[in-house]
Amino acid sequence: MSDWASYGRVDADGTVWVKSAAGERAVGSWQAGTPEEGLAHFVRRYEDLVTEVDLIETRLNSGAADAAQSVSTVKRLRASLDEAHVVGDIDGLAARLDRLSALADEKAGAAKAARDAARAEAVARKTTLVEEAEKLAAESTSWKATGDRFKEILDEWKTIRGVDKKTDGDLWKRFSVARDSFTRRRGGHFATLDAARKQAQTVKDDLVAEAEALAESTDWAATAARLKELMADWKTAPRASKEAEQKLWDRFRAAQDAFFSRRSEVFSARDNEQKAALVRRQELLSQAEAIDVDADPKAAQNVLREILGQWHDTGRVPREAVAGLDRRLRAVEDKVREAMDAAWRRTEPSANPLLAQMREQVAEAEARLERAQAAGDAKRIKEAEQALAGKRNFLALAEKAS
């Protein structure tokens, strides 16, 4: 931390500055403790940025990161660096982010090329299936075998990912036309069979196909609503043959059960995590409320800071508990803050490091005025006099407040 702290300073009025090749700029204000504590606070913020950059770089080099997302993240961090409220090596981190941006662009390009290749392969596979389906629909008279093959094509179709929506829609239309054409020819061949049941089987097969496609969805609300609509459609559709009806129903029901079972597991796990987080926050809150603030306000502040660090790591808690927990925690924070303010007011002026620093600055300003007077530089003399007057005013106010 001391190395990063060398890139910043804290003014007498508590303003925190960071140094870079572009000069100094204010990054915040620190009134809660010593200048060293103020620098440490803003250094920790800088270290958080460095940690985030470390993680991005590690994930990029390992191939675990989404390169396109990394490009966006790096650019966002780079753009925000000039105004970041941190103390540290801004120029070094900027140069590192520039290198990471180039690396991320390179990997994003490679990832896009890979996706394009995979998309072309997926389109080719689906096109081959469609062409086979169209040929079967036009020529085949092996009704059972061809019907089975259409189901195999549909199953294989579901495993192919990465085709853009428009192309996939166009290919699906061709496949659907071919499948429907075959179904009509087969229906004509089996004219003695019940046409209504054949139509029902086709309709329910489509319902099953959609239900199975939705079984792995994580869009819980929309998918649950759609599955209920499919159930309503199932109930209003004519019945297929007894054997087909039972098989289709088993598949349809299995798809629904798979989805709702996964949804239940996810909701249950989330509830358990939130309950565990609530218990942990209640424990931390009990520790915070037990702090003896009056005995040692500074120690109390350190203990509370540790508790706050753990507080934010507990995770989400049930929504209805948030307001009450936060209200009790703020009460502890207010109590510690008031104790620290009181302790600060009780500090002897001679023991106040801020007053000592301000007196040193006044002495430095007096020395600069003497040098300007000795040089006979009117402009420097005027500037030095103004600076000295300002620092003396600040010192007088600080001594009066103490």
Side-chain angles (χ1 to χ4, degrees), residues 63-133:
D66 181 331
Q69 184 176 354
S70 296
V71 169
S72 175
T73 302
V74 169
K75 288 182 178 179
R76 173 180 59 77
L77 290 174
R78 181 63 181 87
S80 67
L81 199 56
D82 292 338
E83 298 180 358
H85 300 294
V86 299
V87 169
D89 185 3
I90 299 294
D91 297 324
L93 189 56
R96 186 178 176 192
L97 283 169
D98 289 340
R99 292 193 297 272
L100 271 181
S101 180
L103 175 62
D105 283 335
E106 178 183 346
K107 289 187 175 292
K112 182 179 182 301
R115 288 195 303 272
D116 290 343
R119 185 179 299 111
E121 180 183 355
V123 170
R125 288 179 62 193
K126 284 199 171 183
T127 301
T128 299
L129 292 176
V130 167
E131 290 172 350
E132 180 186 354

Side-chain angles (χ1 to χ4, degrees), residues 12-170:
D13 62 358
T15 300
V16 183
W17 299 81
V18 67
K19 308 170 188 176
S20 68
E24 285 191 325
R25 64 178 175 84
V27 296
S29 177
W30 182 258
Q31 306 295 335
T34 66
E36 291 77 13
E37 291 173 337
L39 282 178
H41 172 76
F42 285 90
V43 164
R44 284 193 294 273
R45 289 187 175 182
Y46 176 79
E47 290 173 342
D48 290 340
L49 284 179
V50 172
T51 299
E52 186 173 359
V53 173
D54 289 343
L55 179 60
I56 293 172
E57 184 174 21
T58 299
R59 288 176 58 80
L60 271 176
N61 289 329
S62 68
D66 181 331
Q69 184 176 354
S70 296
V71 169
S72 175
T73 302
V74 169
K75 288 182 178 179
R76 173 180 59 77
L77 290 174
R78 181 63 181 87
S80 67
L81 199 56
D82 292 338
E83 298 180 358
H85 300 294
V86 299
V87 169
D89 185 3
I90 299 294
D91 297 324
L93 189 56
R96 186 178 176 192
L97 283 169
D98 289 340
R99 292 193 297 272
L100 271 181
S101 180
L103 175 62
D105 283 335
E106 178 183 346
K107 289 187 175 292
K112 182 179 182 301
R115 288 195 303 272
D116 290 343
R119 185 179 299 111
E121 180 183 355
V123 170
R125 288 179 62 193
K126 284 199 171 183
T127 301
T128 299
L129 292 176
V130 167
E131 290 172 350
E132 180 186 354
E134 289 172 337
K135 183 176 181 180
L136 289 172
E139 302 175 0
S140 177
T141 56
S142 300
W143 309 115
K144 185 179 185 308
T146 303
D148 292 340
R149 178 55 188 156
F150 267 102
K151 291 180 181 179
E152 292 171 359
I153 290 174
L154 180 59
D155 290 339
E156 184 175 352
W157 185 283
K158 294 175 184 177
T159 66
I160 301 172
R161 301 287 186 270
V163 180
D164 63 274
K165 186 175 182 179
K166 182 179 184 306
T167 302
D168 194 67
D170 292 340

